[in-house]
Amino acid sequence: MRALWSDQRKYEIWLEIETLACEAMARLGQIPIEDARAIRKKAKFSIPEILEIEKRTNHDVIAFLENVAASVGPAARWMHQGLTSSDVLDTTLAVQMASACDLLVKGVDHARAAVAGQARAHKMTPMMGRSHGIHAEPVTFGLKMALMYDELGRLRERLVQMRPRVAVGKLSGAVGTRAHLDPRVEEEVCDKLGLKPATLSTQIVQRDRHAEFMTVLALAASSIDRWATEFRHLQRTEVLEVEEYFAKGQKGSSAMPHKRNPITGERLSGLARVIRGYAVTAMENVALWHERDISHSSAERVIMPDGCILLDYMLALLAKLVTGLQVYPENMRANMDKSRGLFASQSVLLKLTEKGFERQAAYEAVQRAALKTWAGDGEFLANLSAEPEIAAALSAPELEDACGLDRHFRHVDKVFRALGLDE
């Protein structure tokens, strides 16, 4: 990803666009074919020389063309014929964004493979599900990972769907009218670069495409942030159901030798904030003056390469975090036991309504037992049995069944099959 956004790769694409345009014009009989061949054979660039020329011209494309012309000779007069700078810049950016989508899809696939491994390994590992941070009903750690797998799948879909909307180039001139260049040149150049020409453009490709691209990156970063935050919470000392891998010789704190901190998750959460900020910048770039101003240009030179490189890094880091995740089933079970069976409250409530109870009466009877348990007075099952209305309606085996785990996990296999996670 870093190579894709390097100056070297950028100038390579610039040169290819200029060369392809000359070759297309030659095929159309608009310039001498021997000149197009000379450009293909001789054209080269030097980044240090371009940067030196740019100090004088204060224009990157002119500096590039001047440097390349020195290697080509007289045939260089045909280079940039009928083009404007944004024809080169925006078409190059389209190539880079499309290629970035491909690389990011690979990153997502790598992360999903790591998540799938944990999901399968802990398919039936029970743990407490929480809402508002409070014990709710049981889930399995495998289901939690399956949810992550599914979310990353939607991220993959967005990147795949996004690709054709950013793989759009233009060689249509200063205001997009193609006044000085045959539209067939634009079509041929874009085709050879794996792009589609914009149906209509101004001096630039419209920036709603780029804003959507960066928004997809921000959504991806936010999904990563969501799971990094989940793992950070589960690593808290009071919970300790999962933990980031802590390598031999690793240090957690300069002051406290005992610390084992969720630094990878924290790093991911922090970087997600950066990419979300880039999405706002990309949206600000949509509104430009008339056929174009360059207020978007300086911002894009930061947010496009940085956003793609950051997300690529985050996906790799997420895969590493998930692969090395230390899972503690015994702590999960111990935490479940802390609420002394209260997770069964809804199961008992539903059993009572099935027996003919009015829902409000059933709710109040179960809640009386629950509040007593919450206050530390005995186990939930015992307190349920002590409620005369409940004891009269449900036998001891029925109550025990309602307070069990099996009902909570009876659809796990179906979920795994639906996600393609069944082995």
Side-chain angles (χ1 to χ4, degrees):
M1 184 67 80
R2 190 178 295 111
L4 173 64
W5 294 97
S6 67
D7 282 347
Q8 177 68 29
R9 183 59 184 142
K10 177 184 74 174
Y11 289 128
E12 287 172 356
I13 302 171
W14 285 16
L15 183 56
E16 186 63 11
I17 291 168
E18 295 282 359
T19 303
L20 286 172
C22 289
E23 290 173 340
M25 286 187 285
R27 271 187 284 277
L28 292 170
Q30 297 170 356
I31 69 171
I33 193 166
E34 59 270 19
D35 285 350
R37 287 172 178 163
I39 291 168
R40 171 64 71 182
K41 182 178 180 180
K42 296 180 180 180
K44 61 182 180 180
F45 60 83
S46 165
I47 295 176
E49 291 175 13
I50 292 171
L51 296 177
E52 192 61 34
I53 296 169
E54 192 177 350
K55 291 177 182 178
R56 168 172 50 83
T57 64
N58 199 27
H59 195 291
D60 54 355
V61 176
I62 292 175
F64 167 78
L65 291 168
E66 186 175 320
N67 177 246
V68 173
S71 66
V72 173
R77 70 185 185 278
W78 302 116
M79 296 185 72
H80 214 62
Q81 185 84 344
L83 302 182
T84 190
S85 296
S86 288
D87 289 327
V88 179
L89 297 174
D90 277 9
T91 303
T92 295
L93 188 53
V95 171
Q96 290 173 309
M97 288 191 293
S99 298
C101 284
D102 295 336
L103 292 173
L104 290 170
V105 165
K106 291 180 180 178
V108 172
D109 287 343
H110 180 54
R112 286 188 92 205
V115 173
Q118 289 285 15
R120 294 186 182 107
H122 295 283
K123 179 179 179 180
M124 300 303 292
T125 301
M127 66 180 297
M128 184 53 70
R130 299 170 173 90
S131 59
H132 305 273
I134 307 301
H135 284 201
E137 292 186 342
V139 297
T140 73
F141 188 63
L143 275 178
K144 193 178 286 283
M145 291 294 92
L147 184 66
M148 183 181 185
Y149 182 85
D150 189 36
E151 184 170 351
L152 292 177
R154 290 192 297 278
L155 163 56
R156 190 186 197 281
E157 289 175 6
R158 291 187 192 105
L159 288 167
V160 171
Q161 292 165 359
M162 181 75 257
R163 192 189 193 283
R165 288 198 287 277
V166 296
V168 174
K170 58 93 64 181
L171 275 75
S172 56
V175 291
T177 60
R178 304 178 178 92
H180 307 292
L181 191 69
D182 192 312
R184 290 175 292 177
V185 175
E186 179 185 55
E187 291 170 5
E188 183 173 327
V189 172
C190 286
D191 181 65
K192 291 192 173 181
L193 292 171
L195 308 175
K196 288 185 177 181
T199 305
L200 181 64
S201 62
T202 58
Q203 191 176 103
I204 60 169
V205 173
Q206 298 305 287
R207 256 44 197 177
D208 62 290
R209 297 178 186 274
H210 306 70
E212 184 182 7
F213 175 79
M214 194 55 66
T215 301
V216 168
L217 266 59
L219 273 171
S222 295
S223 286
I224 293 172
D225 183 14
R226 177 263 190 274
W227 290 103
T229 301
E230 176 75 17
F231 298 142
R232 287 164 58 197
H233 278 298
L234 293 178
Q235 187 169 333
R236 286 178 300 154
T237 305
E238 297 85 354
V239 180
L240 199 58
E241 294 180 353
V242 302
E243 185 179 28
E244 289 183 15
Y245 178 73
F246 196 82
K248 184 178 181 180
Q250 184 174 336
K251 311 299 181 189
S253 165
S254 63
M256 297 169 285
H258 72 279
K259 293 300 294 294
R260 294 160 62 105
N261 301 325
I263 57 171
T264 303
E266 290 169 335
R267 186 180 307 158
L268 290 170
S269 291
L271 293 177
R273 297 167 190 170
V274 175
I275 298 184
R276 284 194 290 268
Y278 287 172
V280 174
T281 303
M283 291 181 192
E284 295 287 343
N285 285 345
V286 174
L288 301 176
W289 288 13
H290 306 300
E291 277 59 58
R292 186 228 183 174
D293 64 63
I294 64 166
S295 59
H296 66 288
S297 179
S298 55
E300 286 178 355
R301 290 169 193 252
V302 176
I303 67 174
M304 287 297 179
D306 279 14
C308 292
I309 291 168
L310 272 181
L311 183 57
D312 190 51
Y313 169 71
M314 290 173 70
L315 287 166
L317 197 61
L318 180 68
K320 183 178 179 181
L321 186 158
V322 172
T323 299
L325 204 62
Q326 307 297 293
V327 182
Y328 303 125
E330 66 281 3
N331 288 355
M332 292 177 176
R333 191 57 197 243
N335 285 335
M336 288 180 66
D337 292 343
K338 286 179 181 177
S339 57
R340 297 184 299 283
L342 283 173
F343 63 77
S345 68
Q346 182 175 194
S347 297
V348 178
L349 169 64
L350 296 178
K351 280 283 188 183
L352 290 172
T353 59
E354 289 169 9
K355 293 287 187 177
F357 267 62
E358 190 270 330
R359 184 179 176 88
Q360 184 62 27
Y363 191 104
E364 291 174 356
V366 173
Q367 190 179 44
R368 283 194 297 272
L371 292 176
K372 187 183 294 185
T373 308
W374 192 281
D377 184 4
E379 296 291 320
F380 187 46
L381 178 58
N383 289 330
L384 287 167
S385 301
E387 287 291 326
E389 295 173 279
I390 296 175
L394 299 175
S395 67
E398 285 177 318
L399 263 180
E400 288 176 6
D401 176 68
C403 292
L405 288 175
D406 290 348
R407 71 180 56 250
H408 298 282
F409 305 148
R410 55 186 171 173
H411 300 302
V412 172
D413 286 336
K414 182 178 180 180
V415 170
F416 270 61
R417 283 194 301 272
L419 290 173
L421 286 169
D422 52 330
E423 298 178 355

